[in-house]
Amino acid sequence: MGKPATVTIDGNEAAARIAHRVSEVCAIYPITPASPMGEWADAWSAAGQANLWGTVPHIVEMQSEGGAAGAIHGALQAGALTTTFTASQGLLLMIPNMYKIAGELNPCVFHVAARSLAVQALSIFGDHSDVMATRGTGFALLASGSVQEATDLALIAHAATLEGRIPVVHFFDGFRTSHEVAKIVPVDDDTVRALVDDQRVHEYRARALSPEHPQLRGSSQNPDVYFQGRERVNPYYTAFPALVQATMDRFAALTGRAYRLFDYVGAEDADRVVVLMGSGAEAAHETVEHLNAHGERVGVLKVRLYRPFDPRALLAALPATVERIAVLDRTKEPGSDGEPLYKNVLTAVAQDAAGGESRFPRMPRVVGGRYGLSSKEFNPAMIKGVFDMLAADAPRNDFTVGIVDDVSHTSLDWDPAFRTDAHEGLFQAVFYGLGSDGTVSANKNSIKIIGEGTDLHAQGYFVYDSKKSGAVTVSHLRFGPRPIRSSYLIGDGDARFVACHQTVFLERYDMLDKAAPGAVFLLNSPAPPEQVWSTLPRHMQEQILDKGIEFYTIDAYRVAQDSGMGKRINTIMQTCFFAISGILPRDEAIAAIKQAVEKTYGRKGKRIVEFNFRAIDQTLANLHRVQIPDAATSHIEKRPPVPADAPAFVRRFTGELIAGRGDAIPVSLMPADGSFPLGTAAFEKRNLALEIPVWDEHLCTQCGKCAFVCPHGVIRSKLFPAELAADAPPTFKHVPALGKDYPQGMHMSYQVAPEDCTGCSLCVDICPIRDKSNVSHKALNMAPQPPLRDQERNNWAFFLGLPEYDRRQAKETTLKGSMLLQPLFEFSGACEGCGETPYIKLASQLFGDRMLVANATGCSSIYGGNLPTTPWTANAEGRGPAWSNSLFEDNAEFGFGMRIAVDKQAEYARELLTRLRDAVGTELADAILGADEGGEAGIHEQRLRVDALRAKLAAMDTPEARALTALAENLCRKSVWIVGGDGWAYDIGFGGLDHVLASGRNVNVLVLDTEVYSNTGGQTSKATPRGAVAKFSAGGKPTAKKDLARIAMTYENVYVAHVAYGAKDVQTLRTFLDAESYDGPSLIIAYAPCIAHGYELAHNHVQQQLAVQSGHWPLFRYDPRRAQQGKNPLHLDSKAPAVPYREFIRNETRFNMLWRSHPDAAEHFLEQSQAEVRERFHRYEQLAQLAWENDDNTAGAPPASED
Amino acid sequence: MDLGTEYLGLKLANPLVPSASPLSRDLDSARRLEDAGASALVMYSLFEEELLQEQHQIERFLHHQDIGHAEADSFLPLPDRYQSGLDAYLGQLTALKNALDIPVIASLNGVSTDGWVEQGRELAGAGADALELNVYYVAADPDETGAAVEDRYVDLLRQLRSAVDIPITVKLSSQFSAVGHLVKRLHGAGANGVALFNRFYQPDIDLETLQVVPRLQLSNSHEVLLRMRWIAILHGRVGVSLAATGGVHTDEDAIKLLLAGADVVHLCSALLTHGAARLTTILDGITQWLELHEYDSVRQMKGSISHRHAPDPAAFERANYLQVLDSYAAPGGVRR
């Protein structure tokens, strides 16, 4: 047999390659980290790739995982080979159907990239909490621990389920395995064919529901027989483990890769064994081999088939010599006396001991512990810590490893310096890049080049931060002659190559901590080679000297610019890696890089190929080895992650997370209930912008548009008495306020936060004022940030120190006035130019001091609430938005719950106040009870009255007074906002949204409509327009966008509006004010340009205008109050489509790509869309023109007005 | 009447050739042109910028979608197969070749020396009977010399010539200090013909938005005169075929150009404005004129009033310029 072909792919693709080949139907729904499996399947089907039987699987995206599970259940009943891919809460939503699917013995496989559950916080990372929650469903649980296993066991799962009729959850660790890129041997079609028995497929089909041989399934049973029915399935479960083992054995015969239900690795006479499943078992495997080579007697038992649990197979796999067993669970079951796997192992061992002929001379002692929750690092040092603990006189039970638990004291100690021999002969490299600079894709490509060009084993793992703009990526690459089982990050002192692709990281990260002695450090820097040494912080210089590091530098941005690559440096840095590392002969490596470039862009990207080739060729001439002086000379010290004067929590907690030291945070520093302080994004100072806006105060007309559109809240206006600027820094700009709305003597300043700006330039784009003598000069102009940084930092600090303008005086109905209100949403990590955040920021300005926010999971919950920081903040009085994220699917109900809680407490508070009327004073009580809080002044007065009430209550020591004190805040108006994206509102959360809108309760729903699932990577939603290309709609979405507004209008008591801030800002502003003032449900559907649309977001205002002018996004407000006044409630705010739909869509890749991939469909969709926008506008126009009894303005009046 | 002419070594039934325009994007309209009498067809231009922009767009928005966020390393599916602008062009070229009996001349429009060789080869491979190289270069850099600009044209042509065997014609701008010399250099570099002259699509200023916007204005017959002069000057003196392009709307325009020495006359605005039938009208007009003036063939008339053959060659030179100025009289009512 020749050497098997290999591929270099990640775990998701590895599993999907099997699933797609043996399925006919995949019903799916996007969720991280499982989405790529569905996307692969969809892409293959879209490309016409057939399954094993020569037919192309049908991929359907449902409205939720619950929906997918229902569809799967139906498809199984009707006899199709069916699969799905999911994780975390998605898997939980499938549980009800999983019971049914298993209960009816339907063969199928769910491939799960196992992920943490949302508990005190959401986490997208990997552990087994989700799959453990399905233990009771009757599904088999089969665990893969590596990319190779993900493909092998995927096939074994599909084959076994057909054999044994038990459905299988095949799972592997989210991110660690799902996203690890590794060189594996793929399973060929012959093997798949040999393992999947067609006869079983036919039998399955014969059992399907069919009118040809009708049956009833899914009956309702009574106490008489239900129990018996439940027990009827036992034989299937009893038989299943042996059947899986038999399948594994057949697989081994075909491929040479052998698996067992429980795979034992280690000493035959081991005294200590760890038991675990998933990727952690690989690290344990590596550790055990090392420890045994160094004289210990230890072992690891890898659990493959966890359900049905086969204790005999478990016991048989354990060496009889074992005395102590540590069972490691990657999940947490609060309140339990141990995690599930531990209890299963303990039971097996105990039953064995109690059952007569025991396998063990003396019953081993079994302890349980937790590790690796949410992809927490789990490495050999920790595993050795577990073995050391087992060797202690009294092994610990209920322990944790990998954290410092100073609260319950569960954590084990470990020696971070411990390394296994596996590192010998292993080439380890780390790369620090910006998310958008292509470092990750270049490294994936390098792994492929090395994996496919050499006999070396290869592994790549990529760590991302939580931001979408300016995100940092750290790539961990390993290459070596032996199989790589290191399912953990490259540790300090281990990397033979460290690359820094952006100089901004020099002052942020201790990158050379990772460097091994004699390692190479590569820095992309604009500094000339002879000066680059002096740009390093002192600590780095010292490390270079101490570790004898070779230092190389290149000005990759200049090479990119000169070779026509613009700002793309990925190929250049990749070339440097190969040139310096010597992992491949240089010429061979360069040829391989060029080949990869050609393969990527092909004939159709010939010019791009030329630019890349030119860049590659110029790289070597521009790569320099730096002469290192004898001593550290730098005076640059690494910046503290947050300023020294930041609040204590921010310094001790947030700052440590920002610095990348979150793993060291002890348990005691974590808030027990998941509550965090606001305003932390302000401390980050990410300095992302190359250019920032500069205000020309003499040209400016103070319209406020710039502050309005800023997605990050970094450009602000403030109105203040002129005399307050007496001590301003010399470069602080302020001019007399323009306009009659504000008193004499007031000055206006527009100020930019230079270190928080992302440089998106939307403020400059929207600025309407041009210099009459030089139209390229506006009242705002972009200028390089570095020279302005210090000066503007001082100006910003001074600006912040100026008092906020009195909310009661600001004319909030005007743009200028509303922009005088402080944003309570600032410096989010959203993408540069995000189309969502301006709406959220606006709401925070108008209502932030009285807002409760229910935020659906999605982009807005990530840039809103992903640690380390939050952009939500409070004002000087300490008031601000109270924000929470429950789930993806329940957000409307979640916000509704907030509303009824507030209303109930307000009602009770009013009852108490009425009872205490005399005691607190009738005047005060009546004023509070009868307050008009319609405007800012009324709200302010009421707050003062409630303060007075509290003061009075403080002196009254009665139960009612104490109760009223606790409830008094509810006597002031609170504004409940339900915020989420279109995936939530149109799809997964629609049922709840519908119910909440119908309830009539006073909630404000803000739908940030990007027309696609943005956060999970651009999957189609029901908001996706016809003809748009999105994931799951590679051929263009064939159906029209759902008209959510019209659905909501049918209730007639819902305030409904369409807004697009870049098209008509004042309409957006008025809509927000109208919606919030309406005492009932409001639904604002906001057009939100997104990077998923495929154009530079610097042009997003133009696209918003085209969306409106083409009729794609008509602007209107439906206000039920108007109907109550006898007027037509619908008011159109935009005119009939005047711009061809083609003009709107031609600028966006999501649409125009279809002209290239499916030209006929593109034209067909365009024709339909063009007709639809006209028709829809016509329908709205007719509705708006309907005569209403007291309405003089509708019948016969112009349909659309410009105000 | 023998209307036949020879252009770029191609024997054409008559001298009327529709120039690069949207009419060649559609097979039906191309067939209508053939039916109306077109003797060859220049396809719409394959624009260098369009291809480059397309490649950049696909690179930027499909190949490099990663933003470094753990939940999404892409947002749009990367199509396995797609039709590039070049594919579409080649496809249309093949379709035109299949649909028409007349020669089809492919048109390349660009300024750089990169990429064109390969594209020229593909066009030739797809069956183009000839290539029109439309080098639309605005010498906006005050430090760039006229000689350098000319070198750019000649280099580009030379590279293309080395890659393809089919005839090449170069469509030139009138804004050269020595058109004749440049044409000779192009001949030396392998050009089989030149088309005089390119019309620059002029940028315009939108008075409301104060933005510079592209403006496309169709030609008018006044523009013929510039072409006529240079055709006349070059006829028989530069060794290449001559095509007149820009401003031909009537049979009179065409006849003048033929008399001056054009081998073919291109039509564009006239066809866009009036439809394919205008070509028949012009052709009929030429025939009638020839008959009326007792010519046997187009060959006979071609270049009969060129610089070489004109009774007063200087009339095509500066003296002519003076005459034109002198002939201009202010309209009545205008105070001068």
Side-chain angles (χ1 to χ4, degrees):
Chain A
M1 206 195 300
K3 202 177 70 169
T6 58
V7 291
T8 308
I9 56 175
D10 67 20
N12 275 330
E13 186 180 349
R17 278 179 173 222
I18 297 295
H20 187 261
R21 270 186 285 174
V22 295
S23 298
E24 292 162 327
V25 168
C26 306
I28 48 184
Y29 190 75
I31 186 164
T32 305
S35 309
M37 285 188 278
E39 290 165 18
W40 278 117
D42 181 58
W44 292 325
S45 282
Q49 198 167 308
N51 66 13
L52 196 61
W53 300 277
T55 184
V56 177
H58 195 50
I59 317 292
V60 285
E61 185 195 21
M62 296 302 292
Q63 89 286 8
S64 72
E65 289 90 350
I72 291 161
H73 188 196
L76 291 167
Q77 291 298 323
L81 297 167
T82 305
T83 192
T84 191
F85 316 100
T86 193
S88 191
Q89 239 76 21
L91 183 62
L92 265 56
L93 286 178
M94 294 185 172
I95 286 178
N97 254 303
M98 290 174 76
Y99 278 94
K100 293 289 297 176
I101 291 166
E104 295 163 348
L105 295 173
N106 290 296
C108 79
V109 180
F110 289 12
H111 296 275
V112 174
R115 164 180 159 181
S116 308
L117 295 176
V119 192
Q120 85 281 1
L122 165 153
S123 169
I124 59 171
F125 294 101
D127 64 38
H128 304 160
S129 312
D130 52 0
V131 288
M132 283 302 188
T134 67
R135 295 197 317 281
T137 60
F139 267 61
L141 300 178
L142 186 65
S144 286
S146 68
V147 179
Q148 181 71 61
E149 291 176 17
T151 205
D152 292 349
L153 296 189
L155 175 56
I156 288 163
H158 279 278
T161 194
L162 282 166
E163 292 283 336
R165 299 186 60 181
I166 308 281
V168 182
V169 166
H170 165 237
F171 71 96
F172 42 87
D173 291 349
F175 283 101
R176 185 63 249 183
T177 304
S178 68
H179 283 58
E180 177 183 306
V181 176
K183 179 172 163 177
I184 66 161
V185 180
V187 178
D188 58 35
D189 281 352
D190 291 343
T191 304
V192 180
R193 190 171 293 282
L195 220 61
V196 176
D197 186 345
D198 277 356
Q199 183 53 36
R200 297 284 177 254
V201 176
H202 303 324
E203 288 167 12
Y204 160 60
R205 293 204 206 283
R207 294 193 297 270
L209 290 182
S210 162
E212 301 286 323
H213 44 86
Q215 280 180 298
L216 177 142
R217 200 174 291 158
S219 59
S220 172
Q221 297 176 352
N222 301 319
D224 51 355
V225 298
Y226 176 89
F227 192 172
Q228 298 93 304
R230 214 60 209 97
E231 297 303 319
R232 178 64 185 84
V233 295
N234 292 350
Y236 294 90
Y237 286 86
T238 307
F240 201 69
L243 199 149
V244 171
Q245 185 59 61
T247 311
M248 287 172 161
D249 294 345
R250 283 198 288 139
F251 180 82
L254 292 162
T255 64
R257 294 192 295 282
Y259 297 99
R260 303 206 53 79
L261 302 183
F262 298 92
D263 263 324
Y264 176 76
V265 176
E268 287 177 9
D269 58 348
D271 55 0
R272 285 161 292 152
V273 169
V274 293
V275 181
L276 72 172
M277 53 189 171
S279 64
E282 293 303 288
H285 183 145
E286 178 185 309
T287 312
V288 160
E289 286 186 336
H290 172 91
L291 293 175
N292 289 342
H294 290 80
E296 302 212 35
R297 292 187 296 125
V298 295
V300 54
L301 190 70
K302 302 179 186 181
V303 179
R304 307 250 186 246
L305 185 69
Y306 175 56
R307 284 285 184 274
F309 194 75
D310 184 347
R312 279 188 302 175
L314 170 94
L315 294 168
L318 284 168
T321 53
V322 65
E323 293 167 12
R324 292 180 174 185
I325 298 172
V327 185
L328 294 165
D329 271 275
R330 199 162 200 163
T331 187
K332 162 92 177 163
E333 205 170 298
S336 170
D337 55 344
E339 271 62 36
L341 181 59
Y342 157 70
K343 296 180 80 168
N344 286 127
V345 174
L346 178 62
T347 306
V349 171
Q351 284 178 342
D352 174 67
E357 275 189 36
S358 173
R359 171 160 176 74
F360 310 105
R362 199 174 59 176
M363 181 182 155
R365 185 160 182 173
V366 184
V367 295
R370 293 174 295 281
Y371 75 101
L373 264 63
S374 177
S375 292
K376 170 68 74 188
E377 185 69 342
F378 183 61
N379 60 30
M382 296 166 191
I383 296 157
K384 181 169 182 298
V386 174
F387 280 119
D388 290 348
M389 175 275 294
L390 279 182
D393 291 342
R396 291 272 306 275
N397 190 24
D398 194 26
F399 63 88
T400 59
V401 64
I403 57 170
V404 179
D405 180 2
D406 56 344
V407 172
S408 313
H409 307 287
T410 59
S411 53
L412 304 182
D413 290 332
W414 76 94
D415 173 12
F418 175 79
R419 295 289 183 276
T420 69
D421 295 337
H423 288 244
E424 286 167 16
L426 200 58
F427 186 95
Q428 307 190 74
V430 287
F431 304 77
Y432 289 77
L434 266 185
S436 52
D437 70 9
T439 298
V440 168
S441 52
N443 283 325
K444 284 184 178 172
N445 182 240
S446 295
I447 299 167
K448 277 188 198 290
I449 287 172
I450 297 168
E452 286 161 23
T454 70
D455 288 336
L456 297 177
H457 291 269
Q459 178 204 61
Y461 188 71
F462 307 93
V463 178
Y464 306 90
D465 75 12
S466 53
K467 299 292 191 285
K468 290 173 187 250
S469 56
V472 179
T473 60
V474 187
S475 309
H476 296 249
L477 270 54
R478 288 188 173 102
F479 307 102
R482 290 182 289 172
I484 300 168
R485 301 188 185 279
S486 308
S487 55
Y488 51 91
L489 301 176
I490 293 171
D492 285 352
D494 289 343
R496 279 161 56 185
F497 188 92
V498 178
C500 171
H501 291 189
Q502 305 288 339
T503 48
V504 69
F505 301 153
L506 290 174
E507 52 182 52
R508 275 200 226 161
Y509 302 110
D510 289 321
M511 289 172 284
L512 292 181
D513 287 358
K514 294 263 181 253
V520 168
F521 176 50
L522 169 66
L523 174 67
N524 167 30
S525 168
E530 58 279 5
Q531 290 169 25
V532 70
W533 172 257
S534 61
T535 66
L536 302 184
R538 187 176 185 87
H539 181 58
M540 281 188 104
Q541 290 185 340
E542 287 168 353
Q543 284 181 307
I544 288 173
L545 291 165
D546 293 347
K547 294 185 180 180
I549 290 170
E550 290 180 25
F551 180 19
Y552 287 83
T553 186
I554 185 168
D555 184 354
Y557 280 108
R558 192 175 53 73
V559 176
Q561 194 67 45
D562 291 352
S563 49
M565 299 267 288
K567 291 180 179 172
R568 294 296 296 182
I569 59 165
N570 56 344
T571 337
I572 297 161
M573 297 310 290
Q574 188 188 10
T575 306
C576 291
F577 165 67
F578 278 110
I580 308 167
S581 68
I583 200 157
L584 282 180
R586 187 179 284 201
D587 291 346
E588 208 176 291
I590 286 172
I593 297 171
K594 287 187 173 176
Q595 205 181 348
V597 167
E598 269 190 315
K599 196 175 160 196
T600 303
Y601 302 111
R603 185 179 72 87
K604 292 172 182 174
K606 212 156 179 64
R607 300 296 293 282
I608 307 297
V609 172
E610 283 168 24
F611 297 150
N612 272 281
F613 280 15
R614 209 181 293 159
I616 293 165
D617 293 338
Q618 285 178 18
T619 296
L620 297 182
N622 287 281
L623 176 64
H624 304 283
R625 182 162 178 187
V626 179
Q627 293 305 312
I628 298 170
D630 297 335
T633 51
S634 177
H635 298 294
I636 305 168
E637 297 294 345
K638 196 165 71 100
R639 264 193 328 146
V642 293
D645 59 354
F649 182 83
V650 172
R651 274 182 285 119
R652 283 162 50 211
F653 183 86
T654 313
E656 290 304 287
L657 270 60
I658 292 171
R661 296 189 290 263
D663 280 331
I665 293 282
V667 172
S668 63
L669 273 187
M670 293 300 296
D673 60 357
S675 307
F676 290 89
L678 298 188
T680 40
F683 296 107
E684 283 199 272
K685 305 299 171 209
R686 299 195 297 146
N687 281 294
L688 296 178
L690 297 173
E691 291 187 329
I692 57 172
V694 174
W695 184 42
D696 184 337
E697 71 275 30
H698 303 300
L699 207 54
C700 178
T701 59
Q702 304 175 4
C703 67
K705 283 175 183 283
C706 53
F708 189 87
V709 303
C710 177
H712 302 277
V714 300
I715 183 160
R716 306 220 182 141
S717 59
K718 212 174 242 187
L719 202 58
F720 52 90
E723 59 272 18
L724 292 184
D727 298 326
T731 56
F732 180 76
K733 293 175 183 172
H734 54 102
V735 287
L738 302 176
K740 290 175 288 189
D741 290 341
Y742 300 98
Q744 288 288 308
M746 298 298 278
H747 269 213
M748 176 70 93
S749 179
Y750 280 81
Q751 177 63 45
V752 172
E755 297 182 294
D756 303 297
C757 178
T758 65
C760 76
S761 77
L762 283 170
C763 53
V764 172
D765 179 70
I766 203 75
C767 176
I769 307 302
R770 294 176 185 274
D771 185 339
K772 295 238 172 334
S773 304
N774 173 11
V775 292
S776 67
H777 182 77
K778 290 180 149 189
L780 269 181
N781 303 282
M782 298 301 282
Q785 189 253 25
L788 293 167
R789 182 163 146 183
D790 290 343
Q791 161 193 318
E792 293 306 316
R793 184 197 291 131
N794 289 337
N795 289 336
W796 174 249
F798 178 78
F799 178 89
L800 287 182
L802 290 168
E804 292 294 334
Y805 192 62
D806 187 339
R807 294 179 66 87
R808 290 170 294 172
Q809 306 302 321
K811 284 235 179 333
E812 62 182 10
T813 53
T814 65
L815 270 195
K816 179 178 179 170
S818 63
M819 288 306 109
L820 291 172
L821 306 175
Q822 183 187 359
L824 298 178
F825 180 88
E826 57 184 16
F827 321 138
S828 80
C831 301
E832 300 93 341
C834 173
E836 295 188 354
T837 48
Y839 297 111
I840 297 180
K841 181 184 53 124
L842 176 64
S844 83
Q845 288 174 287
L846 299 173
F847 324 114
D849 63 354
R850 56 178 185 269
M851 256 177 138
L852 282 120
V853 184
N855 205 133
T857 308
C859 277
S860 52
S861 73
I862 297 303
Y863 59 63
N866 199 338
L867 291 189
T869 63
T870 177
W872 295 98
T873 192
N875 65 18
E877 297 163 338
R879 289 194 174 89
W883 182 93
S884 187
N885 160 239
S886 171
L887 296 168
F888 190 18
E889 60 271 24
D890 72 337
N891 193 48
E893 303 92 312
F894 184 50
F896 177 81
M898 292 180 179
R899 179 78 262 170
I900 55 176
V902 167
D903 288 351
K904 179 59 230 173
Q905 291 173 91
E907 184 181 68
Y908 182 31
R910 294 171 71 86
E911 288 165 9
L912 285 170
L913 182 56
T914 307
R915 283 185 231 163
L916 294 171
R917 183 167 175 265
D918 293 336
V920 299
T922 53
E923 197 180 333
L924 177 62
D926 291 349
I928 291 173
L929 292 169
D932 173 7
E933 292 187 274
E936 288 291 335
I939 291 168
H940 181 79
E941 295 302 319
Q942 181 77 338
R943 284 175 182 161
L944 293 180
R945 285 191 287 265
V946 170
D947 285 346
L949 172 67
R950 286 197 184 100
K952 293 207 170 179
L953 293 170
M956 298 162 54
D957 190 21
T958 66
E960 284 188 329
R962 284 194 294 274
L964 184 52
T965 302
L967 291 166
E969 63 170 84
N970 296 293
L971 295 165
C972 297
R973 178 173 161 187
K974 286 181 181 172
S975 184
V976 172
W977 284 77
I978 295 172
V979 178
D982 50 278
W984 158 69
Y986 286 66
D987 287 351
I988 195 169
F990 176 70
L993 175 63
D994 176 69
H995 193 82
V996 170
L997 291 178
S999 74
R1001 289 281 186 164
N1002 184 10
V1003 293
N1004 307 288
V1005 181
L1006 173 60
V1007 178
L1008 303 160
D1009 193 347
T1010 62
E1011 308 194 316
V1012 75
Y1013 286 86
S1014 297
N1015 193 53
T1016 48
Q1019 295 85 3
T1020 307
S1021 79
K1022 282 203 288 298
T1024 304
R1026 187 195 297 278
V1029 171
K1031 291 187 185 153
F1032 307 139
S1033 297
K1037 179 161 174 273
T1039 54
K1041 180 185 173 85
K1042 171 174 168 177
D1043 194 343
L1044 183 61
R1046 235 160 51 101
I1047 294 170
M1049 278 184 224
T1050 60
Y1051 281 116
E1052 297 189 350
N1053 68 335
V1054 182
Y1055 179 96
V1056 186
H1058 256 197
V1059 297
Y1061 78 91
K1064 215 169 201 181
D1065 41 25
V1066 173
Q1067 190 258 1
T1068 301
L1069 171 63
R1070 292 194 183 158
T1071 295
F1072 273 69
L1073 292 167
D1074 283 355
E1076 205 261 352
S1077 70
Y1078 176 58
D1079 186 15
S1082 303
L1083 174 66
I1084 303 174
I1085 308 174
Y1087 188 67
C1090 172
I1091 52 167
H1093 295 180
Y1095 65 93
E1096 295 296 346
L1097 287 180
H1099 307 300
N1100 102 35
H1101 301 142
V1102 173
Q1103 281 309 106
Q1104 290 192 53
Q1105 282 163 16
L1106 287 172
V1108 170
Q1109 290 166 355
S1110 67
H1112 175 69
W1113 197 265
L1115 301 178
F1116 54 80
R1117 287 168 284 168
Y1118 179 97
D1119 191 338
R1121 285 170 293 197
R1122 287 172 56 87
Q1124 286 157 15
Q1125 294 159 11
K1127 297 176 180 174
N1128 188 318
L1130 180 61
H1131 187 269
L1132 294 183
D1133 294 318
S1134 61
K1135 293 180 176 172
V1139 167
Y1141 199 74
R1142 184 186 296 274
E1143 273 192 41
F1144 160 56
I1145 65 173
R1146 72 177 175 195
N1147 299 331
E1148 303 189 1
T1149 308
R1150 62 172 168 154
F1151 292 110
N1152 64 33
M1153 198 57 214
L1154 201 62
W1155 272 307
R1156 299 192 183 101
S1157 61
H1158 301 78
D1160 294 340
E1163 282 300 325
H1164 178 61
F1165 290 144
L1166 170 61
E1167 223 169 85
Q1168 285 179 302
S1169 299
Q1170 182 65 72
E1172 273 159 15
V1173 294
R1174 286 205 195 101
E1175 204 176 295
R1176 180 168 50 145
F1177 192 87
H1178 182 59
R1179 284 199 301 266
Y1180 276 118
E1181 201 173 40
Q1182 286 177 318
L1183 287 174
Q1185 283 177 325
L1186 284 177
W1188 234 258
E1189 50 188 305
N1190 292 337
D1191 202 342
D1192 301 330
N1193 298 323
T1194 48
S1201 80
E1202 279 297 293
D1203 59 23
Chain B
M1 182 62 63
D2 176 9
L3 295 176
T5 184
E6 202 167 294
Y7 177 58
L8 307 175
L10 305 168
K11 291 202 186 319
L12 305 182
N14 69 61
L16 295 188
V17 176
S19 63
S21 84
L23 293 171
S24 53
R25 287 182 186 273
D26 176 60
L27 287 186
D28 286 339
S29 63
R31 278 196 200 97
R32 278 198 289 275
L33 291 173
E34 184 179 40
D35 293 346
S39 64
L41 178 66
V42 183
M43 274 184 77
Y44 60 91
S45 283
L46 180 62
F47 278 90
E48 176 185 13
E49 289 88 346
E50 259 178 39
L51 292 188
L52 188 58
Q53 189 202 17
E54 174 187 81
Q55 292 186 24
H56 275 309
Q57 188 193 9
I58 288 166
E59 185 212 20
R60 165 73 182 82
F61 294 112
L62 294 180
H63 289 299
H64 298 306
Q65 300 183 55
D66 42 342
I67 59 167
H69 187 57
E71 301 207 54
D73 58 8
S74 70
F75 296 89
L76 288 163
L78 183 61
D80 266 0
R81 282 182 293 275
Y82 67 88
Q83 198 180 41
S84 69
L86 179 61
D87 293 329
Y89 195 88
L90 294 173
Q92 183 64 3
L93 173 57
T94 308
L96 286 170
K97 283 297 295 175
N98 290 336
L100 307 177
D101 292 327
I102 53 175
V104 177
I105 301 167
S107 171
L108 281 171
N109 189 315
V111 293
S112 81
T113 52
D114 300 322
W116 290 113
V117 173
E118 193 52 42
Q119 274 138 29
R121 202 175 274 143
E122 300 230 25
L123 294 172
D129 293 290
L131 282 182
E132 180 185 83
L133 188 59
N134 189 347
V135 190
Y136 174 25
Y137 179 73
V138 178
D141 177 2
D143 290 329
E144 190 174 23
T145 66
V149 174
E150 288 189 9
D151 287 348
R152 178 187 286 270
Y153 280 62
V154 173
D155 289 348
L156 179 49
L157 173 66
R158 195 168 278 132
Q159 288 185 31
L160 190 61
R161 178 76 283 168
S162 67
V164 299
D165 294 330
I166 56 173
I168 302 175
T169 179
V170 184
K171 194 167 183 176
L172 285 177
S173 140
S174 62
Q175 293 175 355
F176 283 96
S177 53
V179 173
H181 183 253
L182 175 60
V183 172
K184 284 183 84 166
R185 286 189 69 194
L186 293 171
H187 177 222
N192 304 84
V194 291
L196 307 177
F197 289 112
N198 205 340
R199 294 177 68 248
F200 287 106
Y201 292 153
Q202 305 292 1
D204 198 356
I205 292 173
D206 183 316
L207 292 179
E208 286 310 309
T209 64
L210 300 183
Q211 302 288 305
V212 178
V213 291
R215 184 79 68 196
L216 169 63
Q217 269 174 336
L218 297 179
S219 69
N220 59 52
S221 287
H222 306 307
E223 297 175 41
V224 161
L225 301 182
L226 178 70
R227 279 79 185 164
M228 192 185 79
R229 165 198 273 193
W230 281 101
I231 296 277
I233 289 173
L234 299 183
H235 177 77
R237 300 166 75 186
V238 286
V240 294
S241 297
L242 297 175
T245 180
V248 181
H249 287 255
T250 65
D251 49 356
E252 291 179 4
D253 296 336
I255 293 163
K256 288 174 191 173
L257 289 164
L258 291 168
L259 289 169
D263 295 303
V264 294
V265 172
H266 286 317
L267 300 169
C268 178
S269 298
L271 301 176
L272 289 173
T273 311
H274 303 290
R278 173 57 67 110
L279 195 143
T280 314
T281 310
I282 294 174
L283 200 56
D284 290 347
I286 294 171
T287 312
Q288 283 167 23
W289 188 90
L290 289 170
E291 284 167 358
L292 192 65
H293 294 81
E294 299 180 349
Y295 279 81
D296 298 331
S297 67
V298 161
R299 282 187 195 86
Q300 196 183 8
M301 79 184 287
K302 221 162 58 174
S304 59
I305 321 183
S306 66
H307 186 275
R308 272 202 314 184
H309 300 136
D312 176 14
F316 282 118
E317 298 171 20
R318 192 168 171 76
N320 181 262
Y321 175 66
L322 292 172
Q323 269 182 7
V324 172
L325 280 186
D326 274 352
S327 69
Y328 182 82
V334 173
R335 196 172 309 190
R336 277 279 153 82

